[in-house]
Amino acid sequence: MQYSAFTWVAFCLCLPFLIAFSSPKDQIDHDTVSSSEASPQLIVEDAQDDNLNTATTHTPKSSIKWAKPGFAPLFIASGKDQGQGIGDQLFAQIQAIMPEYQHLNLRLNYSRLFAEFRKGEELCAVLHHKPEREAFLVYSRPVMIYPTYQLYISEAGHERFVEKTQWAGQPMSFDHIMANSQGLKLLITPSQSYGVERDEILARHAGTPDIVKSYADKEAVVKMLAANRMDMTLNLPLLINYRVEQHAIQSQLIKVPLNDVGRYDKSHIACSDTPLGRKVVKAIDAMSPAIHNRGRDLIARWLTVAERETYYEIFDDYFLEGKPLP
């Protein structure tokens, strides 16, 4: 009995060590988004779990943050089309064919976006190319083209606009409109660029129309124009068409095509100018034309029938024939 008791005591003392050595030697840590990665001003969505890759290779993936600033329908954060914006879907498609990275989607405004870029954060976004940004950004080839800023007037103010400018429904010179719009109210956003050509014309005729500067959101701008509280505004057809669809106000807005400024613009994937950012842009360029082809119908979804016909023609001319944008 003494021997049996001694054996039992020894067994109990050794049990914890036996359990410890019988457990798996390699414990796999789950990849998570830490509070230091996603600061309070950033909303992190759709973080992809990297556990399967870690479990098989024991090597964590590099993380890329994809910024979603800007207006609907580029990114749609709420409503029936939530997550179905042009950029939302383009990002999802790019991420699906780049499984070697962990992708984190962030919603943040443009001010915060450029602050993060200047800090060298591993971040990518859809942006226009501007030479001054090359100090901290690297750009892909163009991934999408779209109709750029056009002039919109209210239906209620149509007669007065025609009286001032003699517009008869045809494409018209923006310079002419600005020079002959005394007494009309033009709503623009302070500090916003509408493209070099339009910015120069706006500056040249700054005292002719009654320019109203407002930080009102895009939805409010469309509503003000539809209600005839403003006579004119410059806006993107994509944005106007989205708001029209949301609020059923199509008959209250009229687009005035402009013939002395560029009609189309292009955007790129821009990433921080870091080794990882350059690697990502190089990978995206290697996927062309698959990337811009994926964006083709995403843009067309938010164009009118007439705009869509022209868009497809210009898309083919630019991406297939190498012709310049009109």
Side-chain angles (χ1 to χ4, degrees):
M1 295 294 295
Q2 291 179 350
Y3 178 76
S4 299
F6 175 79
T7 301
W8 176 252
V9 170
F11 175 77
C12 291
L13 291 173
C14 293
L15 183 59
F17 297 97
L18 293 173
I19 293 173
F21 282 104
S22 67
S23 299
K25 292 182 180 181
D26 295 323
Q27 297 293 327
I28 307 300
D29 291 331
H30 288 186
D31 291 331
T32 59
V33 181
S34 68
S35 59
S36 62
E37 281 186 291
S39 65
Q41 296 183 41
L42 307 182
I43 300 175
V44 182
E45 60 175 27
D46 304 330
Q48 296 185 359
D49 197 326
D50 193 34
N51 298 333
L52 293 177
N53 179 269
T54 306
T56 56
T57 68
H58 305 287
T59 302
K61 297 180 181 180
S62 297
S63 293
I64 306 171
K65 298 173 185 175
W66 297 84
K68 294 185 173 185
F71 49 80
L74 182 58
F75 297 106
I76 302 177
S78 61
K80 65 181 180 66
D81 293 311
Q82 181 177 358
Q84 297 302 305
I86 298 162
D88 292 316
Q89 296 184 73
L90 186 65
F91 279 1
Q93 293 169 353
I94 291 174
Q95 292 166 13
I97 54 182
M98 297 179 72
E100 65 271 27
Y101 299 103
Q102 182 185 27
H103 302 283
L104 304 176
N105 293 310
L106 312 178
R107 293 198 180 274
L108 69 170
N109 60 36
Y110 280 107
S111 176
R112 181 61 190 275
L113 168 63
F114 284 101
E116 295 294 308
F117 272 139
R118 289 186 174 90
K119 290 194 305 185
E121 290 291 326
E122 300 293 1
L123 192 65
C124 295
V126 178
L127 291 174
H128 293 108
H129 178 272
K130 291 189 176 182
E132 61 269 25
R133 295 174 178 172
E134 291 180 353
F136 53 90
L137 292 180
V138 57
Y139 289 91
S140 74
R141 296 171 186 168
V143 294
M144 62 178 71
I145 64 167
Y146 47 88
T148 191
Y149 289 96
Q150 295 294 328
L151 188 72
Y152 288 84
I153 64 175
S154 68
E155 185 180 56
H158 174 253
E159 185 177 341
R160 190 157 60 126
F161 179 81
V162 169
E163 180 184 341
K164 295 283 186 181
T165 65
Q166 287 73 55
W167 182 54
Q170 77 284 8
M172 180 170 264
S173 161
F174 185 46
D175 190 64
H176 171 83
I177 292 171
M178 289 294 291
N180 293 276
S181 55
Q182 297 88 345
L184 299 182
K185 292 182 179 180
L186 172 67
L187 180 65
I188 62 173
T189 302
S191 303
Q192 178 174 335
S193 173
Y194 295 93
V196 175
E197 297 167 312
R198 290 167 181 77
D199 288 346
E200 289 178 352
I201 293 171
L202 285 169
R204 189 159 60 247
H205 299 288
T208 306
D210 183 4
I211 295 180
V212 179
K213 297 182 178 181
S214 171
Y215 285 104
D217 63 34
K218 305 303 181 184
E219 182 172 347
V221 169
V222 171
K223 287 181 177 179
M224 281 192 282
L225 189 63
N228 200 34
R229 291 170 56 194
M230 297 292 159
D231 297 296
M232 307 181 291
T233 190
L234 284 166
N235 226 316
L236 295 173
L238 290 167
L239 186 150
I240 291 290
N241 297 341
Y242 174 79
R243 297 302 177 189
V244 162
E245 183 174 306
Q246 296 295 302
H247 302 290
I249 55 176
Q250 183 170 6
S251 63
Q252 297 166 284
L253 301 179
I254 300 172
K255 182 172 74 172
V256 181
L258 305 175
N259 61 13
D260 61 340
V261 291
R263 294 189 292 124
Y264 271 72
D265 211 337
K266 58 184 180 291
S267 286
H268 312 252
I269 299 295
C271 297
S272 297
D273 190 5
T274 64
L276 179 58
R278 291 190 290 273
K279 187 176 180 181
V280 171
V281 165
K282 185 177 180 181
I284 290 172
D285 283 345
M287 292 180 232
S288 295
I291 297 299
H292 60 247
N293 283 345
R294 289 168 185 263
R296 179 175 179 265
D297 291 330
L298 298 178
I299 295 288
R301 158 69 178 87
W302 299 104
L303 299 178
T304 65
V305 173
E307 290 169 346
R308 195 175 301 136
E309 291 176 357
T310 304
Y311 165 74
Y312 282 135
E313 180 181 342
I314 292 173
F315 182 97
D316 290 343
D317 285 347
Y318 181 75
F319 283 114
L320 301 183
E321 303 296 331
K323 295 180 181 179
L325 290 177

